[in-house]
Amino acid sequence: MLHERWALSGSVALRPEPFGALAYDFTTRHLSFLKSPELVEVVRSLGSSADVAAALISSGVPESEWSSYEKALRSLADSGMLTTEGVSS
């Protein structure tokens, strides 16, 4: 996943919250909690980054924490919140 391009699905909106954000998919009606502002920053930067690793770097995430972010991003991808469709290489 680190060397793949991902982006927030077009049907998903983020609503900022003090703890991070709520992600709501208007197609599936699925709701997810992004439990840190740092994770929200990574998710927002995915679409404009070359890959997930670049998004982590641009968001200032230390490499020692990448595995926990990758786990959170994989969970969002598995639920359809993130997509590779329409993301150009």
Side-chain angles (χ1 to χ4, degrees), residues 5-10 82-88:
R5 291 203 63 188
W6 287 86
L8 194 63
S9 175
L82 301 180
T83 185
T84 57
E85 291 182 26
V87 179
S88 59

Side-chain angles (χ1 to χ4, degrees), residues 13-76:
L14 295 179
R15 185 176 91 185
E17 294 289 342
F19 57 81
L22 294 174
Y24 182 74
D25 188 323
F26 285 92
T27 301
T28 65
R29 296 178 162 173
H30 185 83
L31 179 67
S32 291
F33 295 87
L34 280 63
K35 297 179 183 175
S36 76
E38 296 81 10
L39 178 57
V40 175
E41 175 62 29
V42 171
V43 168
R44 284 193 172 135
S45 68
L46 286 172
S48 62
S49 297
D51 58 18
V52 171
L56 292 168
I57 291 167
S58 71
S59 299
V61 177
E63 195 168 348
S64 61
E65 297 177 18
W66 284 15
S67 63
S68 62
Y69 279 82
E70 185 178 10
K71 181 179 176 183
L73 293 171
R74 189 166 305 281
S75 176
L76 289 169

